[in-house]
Amino acid sequence: MDTVFRNARVVDGSGGPSYRADVALAAGRIAEIRRPGDGPRPTARRVVEADGLALSPGFIDMHAHSDLALLRDPAHTAKAAQGVTLEVIGQDGLSYAPVDDRTLAAVRTQITGWNGDGADIDFTWRTVAEYLGRLDQGIAVNAAYLLPQGTLRALVVGWEDRPATPAETGRMKQLVAEGLAQGAVGLSSGLTYTPGMYATDAELTELCRVVAAYDGYYCPHHRSYGKGALAAYEEMIALTRRAGCALHLAHATMNFGVNEGRAPELLALLDAALASGADISLDTYPYTPGCTTLAAMLPSWAGAGGPEAVLARLRDDATAERIRYAMETEGADGCHGVPIDWEAIEISGVAHPHLAADHVGRTVARAARERGEEPWTTARRLLIADRLGPTILQHVGHEENVRTIMRHRVHTGGSDGILHGAKPHPRAYGTFPHYLGRYVRELGVLSLEECVAHLTSRPAARLRLPDRGLVRVGQRADLVLFDPETVAAGATFEAPRTLPTGIPYVLIAGRFVMEDGRRTDVLAGRAVRRTARP
């Protein structure tokens, strides 16, 4: 044996009771599990005394924005230190494959607030296969990739607000099939982000039929988390039922004042669909504020034509006034149909560092007061100066809804972690220990065994990964050893890059990625591909 964890409390990911055992690893897999009285204890070249510590499968982040961070930062301690051994990237319909040169340039500008502009990245890939091959050169944690529907639409249709032609829909379906055959696990959408939001239900249904044929899943950031939230959830359920496609609801929250206390209505909708045979799962992060880009708050019509067209509209006084009215009075679709509250919009990052001192850490309303101007004037000026780069925290969530949804039987954990920016959301560094420390130990919302199942075996089942997500003989040795009594998120809104405590060991394929609470130089992560065929 290579390694044995002696006398660990095994929380095996099934949701069943934990138990004491020695767990031995060999050749990157779990080779032996011996409970007290099962016979001679296994021996190994390395023995880790695990008394008082819990051993669980590695955590799977079902909603990550590490598409460039995995290449930019080999340590990637933000996720490795949390016990994350697999991230699902390509989220919200916007990422970097498949692309051509024109589409890549526009996408880089569009999601600068998520990942930076990529000036430090060598974009040698254009296809999904080439991108996954780049990840296979060695990354901190494993990564699975969702095809980004918005990027596909930009590639085939462009950034125009119009229905796709039959020929364009056919080309997008071909690209979906190619991407899934090359290893993508499904399709994502960002239906409050341009250009993905311009797709009709009929267009999305056609794409999802291809996803279903490859046994993948559809992961939409749907059309509203605010005024039209329940209708938007219903739309995605109906769409995927028509397509015969599995559905995974991204960051399934009920936000804004109109949805306070309404989480049970969402869960009733899901339960009815599940009872009728729907294949549905969801992910959430254990925090109330959201995080996205400031440009995402604009109405969809303002985004037609791509980033340069957006900037041109913002520079035009008359058009900018139309945008302001849509956001502040009507409730733009970019802000989920709710009139924007500038006191709730906190600038968390900018692309150009010289803008940070006067904006980062301030709400738009406060920054405007300091300048003696209206909030929209401040927001407009910043969007232009930073070329759509600002990232925001949006303080619109409800704790009761967060706790209610995380109890559901199809719930999984997802950080939605944006690592870019001077003051990122603490969920990027703290989601998984926050579940274990705050919601298990302190509040008792979930038992330890239940919570670990939410973070391991459930997402592994959604991803159709039969050798991950459980502590079983033969499973891959992607493992976390943590202290249930001390595990906690160090990250706060004031200090969002603080690492967690109580997670001394993290292994990927039996190799120590975290050891004694410190990041090693091991790059054991690889692209995780689906192998299903149509």
Side-chain angles (χ1 to χ4, degrees):
M1 302 294 177
D2 299 318
T3 305
V4 61
F5 295 102
R6 188 81 75 202
N7 197 33
R9 177 185 174 183
V10 178
V11 186
D12 68 4
S14 69
S18 58
Y19 58 89
R20 293 286 175 184
D22 295 348
V23 179
L25 316 179
R29 293 191 176 267
I30 299 171
E32 193 172 347
I33 301 174
R34 289 281 182 90
R35 302 193 191 202
D38 282 352
R41 299 185 112 177
T43 59
R45 284 186 287 274
R46 176 172 183 180
V47 176
V48 176
E49 296 295 340
D51 190 29
L53 300 179
L55 180 69
S56 81
F59 305 138
I60 298 176
D61 187 343
M62 286 296 288
H63 193 103
H65 288 282
S66 302
D67 307 46
L68 299 185
L70 284 163
L71 303 175
R72 174 181 294 123
D73 176 18
H76 200 46
T77 311
K79 294 300 179 70
Q82 292 185 60
V84 171
T85 58
L86 170 60
E87 297 184 278
V88 184
I89 56 178
Q91 298 285 352
D92 295 327
L94 289 165
S95 189
Y96 307 94
V99 291
D100 57 15
D101 291 351
R102 172 186 57 83
T103 304
L104 176 61
V107 168
R108 285 175 60 181
T109 300
Q110 178 82 349
I111 54 175
T112 291
W114 293 356
N115 301 309
D117 66 5
D120 55 340
I121 301 294
D122 184 8
F123 288 92
T124 56
W125 69 86
R126 293 296 180 269
T127 68
V128 171
E130 290 167 349
Y131 177 61
L132 297 183
R134 178 74 172 274
L135 299 180
D136 276 339
Q137 294 176 19
I139 48 180
V141 305
N142 297 306
Y145 188 68
L146 290 165
L147 285 163
Q149 171 259 331
T151 299
L152 294 176
R153 202 172 205 276
L155 180 61
V156 175
V157 181
W159 297 77
E160 292 76 28
D161 182 0
R162 64 171 177 83
T165 67
E168 289 167 340
T169 300
R171 176 57 179 151
M172 285 188 284
K173 290 171 67 176
Q174 181 184 8
L175 288 170
V176 172
E178 290 174 0
L180 291 166
Q182 291 169 12
V185 298
L187 177 74
S188 77
S189 282
L191 299 178
T192 65
Y193 301 131
T194 59
M197 68 193 307
Y198 301 142
T200 64
D201 279 7
E203 178 184 321
L204 295 171
T205 300
E206 286 300 303
L207 301 186
C208 283
R209 287 195 171 105
V210 181
V211 176
Y214 281 81
D215 197 28
Y217 69 94
Y218 182 45
C219 180
H221 165 129
H222 50 269
R223 297 191 193 275
S224 177
Y225 290 83
K227 184 177 180 181
L230 287 176
Y233 283 114
E234 289 175 341
E235 176 191 12
M236 295 298 101
I237 292 169
L239 187 156
T240 50
R241 294 301 297 275
R242 287 194 300 273
C245 184
L247 173 64
H248 181 83
L249 296 165
H251 37 59
T253 57
M254 292 288 286
N255 285 341
F256 302 91
V258 295
N259 290 318
E260 186 172 2
R262 299 186 69 187
E265 296 177 54
L266 167 61
L267 300 187
L269 174 66
L270 298 181
D271 287 336
L274 290 163
S276 66
D279 183 359
I280 301 175
S281 55
L282 59 88
D283 66 68
T284 69
Y285 45 84
Y287 299 88
T288 52
C291 179
T292 186
T293 63
L294 182 58
M297 299 291 101
L298 302 175
S300 58
W301 59 261
E308 294 305 322
V310 177
L311 289 166
R313 292 186 183 100
L314 288 169
R315 292 187 186 105
D316 180 77
D317 290 341
T319 308
E321 174 58 22
R322 286 181 59 208
I323 294 172
R324 182 206 64 77
Y325 184 82
M327 295 175 70
E328 294 185 350
T329 303
E330 295 178 330
D333 48 7
C335 195
H336 307 276
V338 177
I340 196 163
D341 177 5
W342 294 114
E343 292 285 2
I345 305 295
E346 178 185 353
I347 304 299
S348 60
V350 290
H352 293 84
H354 72 278
L355 297 168
D358 292 335
H359 298 92
V360 172
R362 293 171 169 82
T363 65
V364 172
R366 176 185 165 190
R369 285 194 298 271
E370 291 175 354
R371 287 178 167 269
E373 59 191 18
E374 293 299 313
W376 169 240
T377 303
T378 298
R380 175 191 177 194
R381 175 179 44 76
L382 182 58
L383 283 165
I384 294 170
D386 206 38
R387 289 187 53 78
L388 310 183
T391 308
I392 62 169
L393 302 180
Q394 192 170 19
H395 297 271
V396 293
H398 304 286
E399 179 67 17
E400 179 187 352
N401 286 349
V402 170
R403 297 186 193 188
T404 299
I405 294 170
M406 75 170 62
R407 294 187 182 101
H408 197 269
R409 65 186 186 280
V410 300
H411 170 266
T412 67
S415 71
D416 197 9
I418 294 174
L419 299 166
H420 178 68
K423 191 174 180 287
H425 196 303
R427 69 193 185 192
Y429 283 73
T431 287
F432 295 87
H434 200 48
Y435 267 119
L436 296 168
R438 176 68 171 158
Y439 289 93
V440 172
R441 185 180 63 249
E442 296 178 8
L443 298 177
V445 174
L446 295 168
S447 72
L448 180 61
E449 290 83 358
E450 288 173 322
C451 186
V452 168
H454 288 223
L455 307 181
T456 59
S457 64
R458 288 187 187 177
R462 166 52 70 216
L463 293 166
R464 306 283 199 270
L465 300 176
D467 63 347
R468 302 174 199 242
L470 293 168
V471 179
R472 296 279 195 276
V473 172
Q475 291 263 310
R476 287 177 57 89
D478 294 354
L479 299 167
V480 182
L481 199 66
F482 63 93
D483 184 347
E485 299 304 317
T486 63
V487 62
T492 64
F493 287 99
E494 293 72 30
R497 286 195 168 89
T498 307
L499 296 179
T501 56
I503 306 179
Y505 297 102
V506 180
L507 295 87
I508 295 179
R511 301 174 66 189
F512 286 82
V513 174
M514 297 292 297
E515 188 168 3
D516 294 325
R518 294 186 296 273
R519 178 71 172 93
T520 70
D521 61 1
V522 169
L523 296 175
R526 299 293 185 270
V528 174
R529 297 168 174 81
R530 288 289 298 281
T531 57
R533 299 179 182 178

